[in-house]
Amino acid sequence: MTSLEPAPDETSTHLETDVEVLVVGAGITGLYQLYRARVAGFSVQLLEAGGGVGGTWYWNRYPGARFDSESYTYAYLFSRELFEEWEWREHFAEQPEIERYLNHVVDRFDLRRHIRFGAKVTSAVYDETSGKWTVVIGDGTELRTQFFIAATGVLSVPYYPEVPGRQDFRGEAYHTGLWPAEPVDFAGKRVAVIGTGSSGVQVVPAIADEVASLTVYQRTANWCTPLNNAPITPEEQAQLRTDFEAMCETLNTSPSGFLHQAHDRATFDDSKEQRWEFFEKMWSSPGFSKLTSNYSDLLLDEAANAEWCEFVAEKIRTIVKDPETAEKLIPKHHRFGEKRPPFVTGYFEAFNNSNADLIDLEQTPILRVTEDGIETADGVREFDIVVWATGFDFGTGALNRMGIRGRDGVALEDHWADGPKTFLGVQTTGFPNFFFPGGPHAAAGNNPRYNGDQVDFITDALIYLRAHGCDTIEVSAAAEEKWTDMIDRWATRAPSFGEISYYFGSNIPGKPRKYLLNSAGRPKLFAEIDKVLESHYQAFRLSNSSNPARTGA
Ligand code: N01
């Protein structure tokens, strides 16, 4: 049990055991799903394994954890009043503020009375006769629901690599994705950080100045660029309020769910001098704009991508004083965007501290964890604290571990043995009335926007069913196959990109190499949703479990 799991006496309230809509997960997507289902008049219950709301923003409370999408673009947009009454302090909010915001939302909309904390789902079984799901939680309690909606997220199962001796370490050890509630005291400690993905590169500068020594174990250097965070000034707060409607319009229609505008020029439309001038602008621009507002061919043309990478490499060499460390920090084997790029504040600068060291695991791999530290080919280094920033079983991790059983008792993890098969990233064939917004084949961009689209689609479908005397909805095998094939085809369309990212499950030994997001992007989701609505849900079979004659709408 981690200290983020609630004490038993906190878990005993708020449980309706027979509902129309049961949501799993009190993250941004699950809370929005709960809100929408309740407003639509369904009886609702939300189950959450942790002791509070926030989902990913509850478990990932490591030092330095913060948004890298603009706070106001990541927040809920369904209520103008909510938007106006919550003033984000920074353009990219830190985890404590995010958690406070989500708690505010839950109380503001009176959602807490529908949430049971400390309720980890251990099985969910579809009953063909009643058309309902039976869901069991950790303490053995059984719930029944018509619609089972798992908003369990794509980054919710922390991954520890199989390093010999990991359990032998006698100091403190933490995973960024399972961070304890009590603050960890880093002052004067010898600290190892393993992993240099978005989490590791946020931890490093956050603790660099207080530790006695900081040793970063890097297997793959990452294309980190500045987040360019800043406090939101009173004038900007006022402007945000004024621009609310225009902002919603942009976010609700943008291909990636960001405010950043696409650039209309390709890399080699400009001279080298113009390019470098533009790249300087990109370097100083906020967060994801380096990806979304860069030259239009950045992800499509190898030579174009190499130009930007050369610019970033020069920046790294300028920031990092030790040339050998700088070279190690420059990625050599992948292009910008081929892995999810982190956006950082002070990451490269941290290596200028005399107490900071970078271990390149390509040269000296970790051999084992010992009782006192970490052993590589160079010998053993001793530590007081080891931080595992080693990522997640992305996309399917949570859903495949929940004991989900569809028609004929088929296990979801068997149905997805070769990778996830979905339609719109919301349903899979053979699992009627089961939805998973924000799961596999979901967002490629600003998550809450895309996941919100899915929640809206699901809720509208449930309303439609109710209005047409149906209580069961199941996507057709043909629709699922077509959507999944399209995802797989689009995933490899950038000619220079390999299947090296966790987006393909490649960080987990033995996991099928299948693309886990929506590779075709949000416009494709919009287009497909329009088709479904125009055709009155033709891609699905709608029926009534107590009146089989009543099929379709
Ligand atoms: O995880 P990761 P993360 N020995 O999988 C390394 C979101 N997020 O938690 O690249 C040594 O990206 C691994 O090395 P390699 C965001 O979507 C957002 O950092 O596989 N190292 C890599 O360096 C992000 O993409 C924010 O060679 C090992 C690291 O561990 C996602 O969460 C902040 C290893 C894992 O990186 C996941 O990020 C944080 C081994 N055996 C996270 N195994 C925001 O800013 C793995 N590694 C909003």
Side-chain angles (χ1 to χ4, degrees):
M1 178 180 232
T2 76
S3 54
L4 284 178
E5 287 166 10
D9 61 344
E10 289 172 59
T11 65
S12 55
T13 52
H14 313 307
L15 195 64
E16 292 285 331
T17 54
D18 198 341
V19 288
E20 289 165 301
V21 175
L22 188 136
V23 182
V24 186
I28 290 185
T29 306
L31 293 176
Y32 181 49
Q33 181 63 73
L34 172 64
Y35 169 79
R36 281 245 32 214
R38 197 192 61 183
V39 168
F42 293 102
S43 58
V44 288
Q45 174 68 47
L46 187 147
L47 301 174
E48 164 57 52
V53 297
T56 231
W57 297 106
Y58 176 82
W59 298 104
N60 289 265
R61 55 181 67 235
Y62 57 82
R66 64 170 68 246
F67 284 156
D68 59 6
S69 301
E70 281 80 354
S71 312
Y72 31 90
T73 71
Y74 205 89
Y76 295 116
L77 302 177
F78 63 82
S79 159
R80 186 173 191 142
E81 293 73 28
L82 170 66
F83 184 83
E84 295 203 344
E85 72 200 14
W86 186 269
E87 288 200 343
W88 292 99
R89 291 162 39 137
E90 295 176 284
H91 285 280
F92 300 93
E94 213 174 351
Q95 184 276 338
E97 188 181 8
I98 302 165
E99 197 181 355
R100 278 200 305 279
Y101 168 76
L102 291 171
N103 275 284
H104 168 73
V105 171
V106 162
D107 293 327
R108 166 89 169 63
F109 294 98
D110 191 23
L111 298 176
R112 204 173 292 273
R113 68 192 166 93
H114 302 294
I115 304 176
R116 164 82 162 218
F117 295 108
K120 193 176 169 77
V121 172
T122 55
S123 75
V125 178
Y126 181 66
D127 171 21
E128 303 206 24
T129 314
S130 64
K132 291 191 175 190
W133 284 84
T134 303
V135 176
V136 180
I137 56 176
D139 66 2
T141 306
E142 260 188 36
L143 299 90
R144 300 257 293 165
T145 182
Q146 192 74 43
F147 302 107
F148 174 49
I149 306 182
T152 41
V154 282
L155 292 160
S156 42
V157 177
Y159 168 66
Y160 286 100
E162 295 289 327
V163 178
R166 184 172 65 79
Q167 305 286 2
D168 299 340
F169 182 61
R170 286 186 309 198
E172 298 168 52
Y174 305 100
H175 193 290
T176 47
L178 209 58
W179 203 262
E182 308 79 32
V184 175
D185 182 10
F186 284 98
K189 304 277 176 63
R190 299 163 302 169
V191 179
V193 175
I194 304 173
T196 52
S198 300
S199 304
V201 302
Q202 284 186 329
V203 174
V204 166
I207 62 171
D209 291 339
E210 57 175 314
V211 297
S213 68
L214 179 60
T215 309
V216 179
Y217 288 85
Q218 170 191 278
R219 191 167 68 177
T220 308
N222 236 326
W223 288 114
C224 301
T225 54
L227 181 63
N228 294 316
N229 190 20
I232 304 179
T233 64
E235 295 71 32
E236 287 171 331
Q237 299 282 12
Q239 196 62 49
L240 281 168
R241 288 199 180 91
T242 308
D243 292 347
F244 177 71
E245 270 159 20
M247 184 185 85
C248 289
E249 174 63 20
T250 305
L251 293 175
N252 289 335
T253 52
S254 139
S256 52
F258 288 108
L259 289 177
H260 317 296
Q261 295 302 310
H263 190 45
D264 56 1
R265 293 180 71 77
T267 305
F268 301 105
D269 291 347
D270 285 344
S271 68
K272 177 113 186 172
E273 198 186 354
Q274 287 168 322
R275 272 202 298 283
W276 248 241
E277 204 177 304
F278 177 72
F279 285 157
E280 282 293 348
K281 252 174 56 193
M282 284 289 101
W283 184 260
S284 314
S285 69
F288 269 94
S289 50
K290 272 79 93 187
L291 201 59
T292 55
S293 306
N294 215 318
Y295 283 117
S296 55
D297 52 355
L298 177 77
L299 300 183
L300 301 172
D301 181 285
E302 209 167 320
N305 197 297
E307 284 286 296
W308 169 245
C309 290
E310 189 189 327
F311 173 86
V312 176
E314 274 185 19
K315 285 287 186 193
I316 298 172
R317 290 187 190 104
T318 311
I319 298 169
V320 181
K321 291 191 183 125
D322 173 41
E324 207 182 307
T325 305
E327 280 318 305
K328 286 184 194 166
L329 287 165
I330 297 169
K332 304 290 184 306
H333 310 305
H334 72 280
R335 304 177 193 290
F336 187 86
E338 193 168 3
K339 286 173 170 243
R340 200 281 205 184
F343 302 102
V344 293
T345 305
Y347 174 63
F348 294 124
E349 290 82 346
F351 292 97
N352 292 332
N353 283 8
S354 57
N355 65 349
D357 239 335
L358 181 69
I359 308 290
D360 182 350
L361 296 178
E362 275 199 344
Q363 289 169 11
T364 51
I366 295 177
L367 299 178
R368 65 185 60 80
V369 176
T370 68
E371 288 187 353
D372 304 311
I374 295 174
E375 183 179 352
T376 66
D378 265 355
V380 178
R381 284 188 183 222
E382 295 189 353
F383 298 109
D384 304 306
I385 302 179
V386 173
V387 175
W388 295 86
T390 45
F392 299 86
D393 183 352
F394 182 76
T396 48
L399 294 174
N400 277 346
R401 284 172 172 80
M402 273 170 69
I404 296 170
R405 303 288 176 265
R407 279 190 197 286
D408 305 320
V410 170
L412 182 68
E413 61 272 27
D414 291 340
H415 184 56
W416 286 356
D418 298 326
K421 294 186 276 186
T422 83
F423 179 57
L424 310 182
V426 298
Q427 254 214 336
T428 187
T429 313
F431 296 77
N433 291 353
F434 167 51
F435 302 91
F436 39 89
H441 293 176
N446 188 7
N447 287 25
R449 304 283 67 86
Y450 193 109
N451 300 352
D453 302 333
Q454 292 181 311
V455 167
D456 289 338
F457 174 77
I458 292 164
T459 314
D460 293 346
L462 303 192
I463 294 169
Y464 183 91
L465 282 179
R466 185 175 59 189
H468 291 82
C470 295
D471 60 14
T472 306
I473 175 166
E474 179 180 2
V475 70
S476 73
E480 172 176 284
E481 192 182 332
K482 196 167 165 213
W483 179 261
T484 304
D485 284 352
M486 187 268 305
I487 297 274
D488 291 344
R489 260 196 338 274
W490 277 67
T492 47
R493 76 189 187 282
S496 56
F497 284 11
E499 297 179 3
I500 59 163
S501 157
Y502 69 72
Y503 291 163
F504 286 92
S506 57
N507 61 328
I508 306 292
K511 191 164 172 166
R513 298 293 182 259
K514 279 289 164 64
Y515 200 72
L516 295 161
L517 290 171
N518 173 7
S519 52
R522 202 173 175 213
K524 187 70 186 161
L525 177 77
F526 287 153
E528 207 61 38
I529 286 178
D530 284 348
K531 272 197 234 165
V532 170
L533 300 182
E534 276 161 24
S535 70
H536 304 282
Y537 294 87
Q538 219 174 56
F540 296 85
R541 180 183 154 80
L542 313 183
S543 57
N544 184 309
S545 51
S546 55
N547 178 8
R550 182 141 205 181
T551 294

